[in-house]
Amino acid sequence: MPRFPTMLACLLLFATGAHAATLDVVRSRGQLVCGVNTGVAGFSAPDPQGVYRGLDVDYCRAVAAAVLGDPAKVKYVPTTYQTRFVALQSGELDVLARNVTLTLTRETALGLLGVGVDFYDGQGFMVPKATKLTSAKQLDGATVCVLPGSTTELNLGDFARRSNIKIQPVVLNSMDTMVDTYQSGRCDAMTTDASQLAALRVSAMRDPSAHVILPERISKEPLGPFVRRGDEQWAAIAKYVLMGLIAAEELGVTQANVDAMRTSTDPDIRRLLGVEAGLGKALGIEEGWGYRMIKAVGNYGEAFDRNLGRGSPIGLDRGLNDLWTRGGLMYALPLR
C-alpha cells in the first residue's frame, strides 16, 4: 500500500471536512508535526548532533511554544519536492515549513493555504568561477541542473524564452543528486532559489570559493509556511505566530529583553506579550502565546541573523527581508 493517499483522495478528504480540527489533534498528541526540507542550511537541516536548525525550524519551534508551551515539542518530518504537498494534504503534517513559494495554484488546486511570507527570494544561477560568466544571459547553449515539480523548472523555461537563448535543462530528482551532478561537471550551471544556492555554496561545494552566484533573479519567490484549507482557526494561529515574530522586531522586543518588556506601557507590546488578555482567546490558545514564542526563539530579525545573516555561515544581507521601516518588505499585520 502506498505511504500517502492519492492526491485526489486527499482533496476529497479535505473537501468533505474529514480532517479533525488541527489544534485539537496537536493538543491531544502533545506534539507539533512540522514538514521541513531534507536539508537546506539556514532554513532546515540537522546539525552534527542531529538537531534541526534554521529559519523554518525556528518558526516551527515558535508555533509549538505558542500552542503547547514548549518549543521542543516538535517532530520534524523531512519532505521532498514530490512528497511535501501530499504529506500536508493527507494530514501527516500539521504545518509545512520548507521554504515553499506561495503561488495561486498551490492555494487553489491543491487545497492549501500560505499563511504569510517569511523570506522574499528569487531564483538564481550558480556557476563555476572558472567560466568567468557575469550574467545569466551568457548561458546560451548551457546545460542547467534543475529539480522537477517545482517553480524553478517552469521559471527556467520562461527565462530562456524571454532572453531568446537556448538552455538544456538537466532534471534531477533530489537536491543531493543535483549538487553531485553539478560538481561532476555534467551541468554548466545549477538553478534554484538564490538563498538555497548561497546555502549550498558554503555547505555542499567542495571548494566554495570556486563557485559564484550570478546577479540576476529571474523570478519572485515569496517563501512561507503552508497549512490545509478548511481549518480557519489553525490557519489563523499559523499566520499570527509569523506576524507576532515580525511585530516583535518592529517593537524592539527580543529574546533577551522579553521579560523586562512585560512591564512596558506600550499597548501593542502588552497585547503581544499577553499582559493585556484577548489575543489568546481570539486564537483559541492560552494567553501569553507571544511571550512564550519570543522567549523561545527571539523575534524575526534574531532568527534571520542567527540562521542566514552576516553572522551565520550563509552570510546573507537582510535586503527585502528587512523591516519595512528600513527599506525591506517585512510588515506585521496589526495584532489587535
Side-chain angles (χ1 to χ4, degrees):
M1 180 176 291
R3 183 181 178 190
F4 300 120
T6 65
M7 185 174 291
L8 177 60
C10 292
L11 292 177
L12 288 173
L13 283 171
F14 161 78
T16 57
H19 288 300
T22 309
L23 179 60
D24 292 340
V25 171
V26 171
R27 282 174 167 164
S28 176
R29 188 195 303 125
Q31 186 181 54
L32 176 76
V33 181
C34 192
V36 294
N37 209 302
T38 53
V40 174
F43 286 94
S44 57
D47 66 15
Q49 290 72 45
V51 178
Y52 271 87
R53 309 282 186 190
L55 186 71
D56 289 335
V57 171
D58 279 347
Y59 170 77
C60 296
R61 285 169 49 81
V63 175
V67 173
L68 298 172
D70 186 345
K73 291 184 176 180
V74 184
K75 177 183 178 181
Y76 299 101
V77 177
T79 61
T80 67
Y81 282 98
Q82 291 80 16
T83 65
R84 53 186 175 166
F85 296 136
V86 179
L88 181 58
Q89 291 163 335
S90 69
E92 181 183 353
L93 308 176
D94 304 314
V95 63
L96 178 66
R98 67 171 312 282
N99 47 317
V100 178
T101 303
L102 280 71
T103 71
L104 184 151
T105 52
R106 289 172 179 175
E107 294 200 89
T108 53
L110 297 185
L112 305 179
L113 181 66
V115 299
V117 178
D118 66 2
F119 192 91
Y120 288 95
D121 208 348
Q123 186 172 333
F125 296 87
M126 183 157 62
V127 298
K129 185 180 290 186
T131 64
K132 298 184 179 180
L133 296 181
T134 59
S135 169
K137 293 183 179 180
Q138 296 172 314
L139 290 170
D140 191 17
T143 54
V144 178
C145 286
V146 64
L147 293 172
S150 67
T151 56
T152 56
E153 188 178 7
L154 175 62
N155 293 337
L156 180 61
D158 289 348
F159 169 73
R161 287 194 292 273
R162 283 195 301 267
S163 303
N164 195 30
I165 62 177
K166 293 183 179 180
I167 288 177
Q168 179 61 48
V170 178
V171 182
L172 301 157
N173 61 10
S174 74
M175 188 69 75
D176 289 342
T177 304
M178 183 168 73
V179 168
D180 291 342
T181 303
Y182 167 73
Q183 291 201 92
S184 73
R186 288 178 52 203
C187 295
D188 301 310
M190 179 168 66
T191 186
T192 187
D193 294 347
S195 62
Q196 292 192 49
L197 291 175
L200 291 169
R201 181 175 174 271
V202 300
S203 66
M205 297 297 114
R206 288 186 288 269
D207 179 7
S209 66
H211 304 272
V212 296
I213 298 172
L214 298 177
E216 289 90 351
R217 300 294 176 264
I218 67 171
S219 68
K220 293 184 291 185
E221 304 293 337
L223 311 179
F226 277 78
V227 296
R228 288 179 295 278
R229 280 191 175 273
D231 189 339
E232 290 82 0
Q233 181 185 24
W234 185 247
I237 292 169
K239 173 189 287 187
Y240 282 98
V241 164
L242 176 57
M243 292 301 111
L245 294 172
I246 299 169
E249 185 179 12
E250 291 178 339
L251 294 167
V253 182
T254 69
Q255 191 174 31
N257 72 15
V258 66
D259 287 304
M261 283 291 195
R262 299 182 85 176
T263 64
S264 172
T265 59
D266 185 316
D268 287 329
I269 294 175
R270 292 174 66 82
R271 282 191 288 265
L272 172 63
L273 300 184
V275 178
E276 292 186 6
L279 297 185
K281 180 179 180 181
L283 291 173
I285 58 180
E286 290 186 12
E287 301 292 351
W289 58 274
Y291 167 81
R292 294 191 296 274
M293 69 181 193
I294 297 164
K295 186 74 172 176
V297 304
N299 62 41
Y300 174 80
E302 290 178 287
F304 184 100
D305 292 342
R306 178 169 59 245
N307 296 298
L308 295 165
R310 282 296 175 185
S312 75
I314 310 302
L316 297 181
D317 291 324
R318 286 287 295 270
L320 295 178
N321 297 293
D322 210 341
L323 293 179
W324 64 286
T325 52
R326 297 195 292 258
L329 297 179
M330 282 297 166
Y331 186 111
L333 301 179
L335 274 68
R336 61 181 64 167

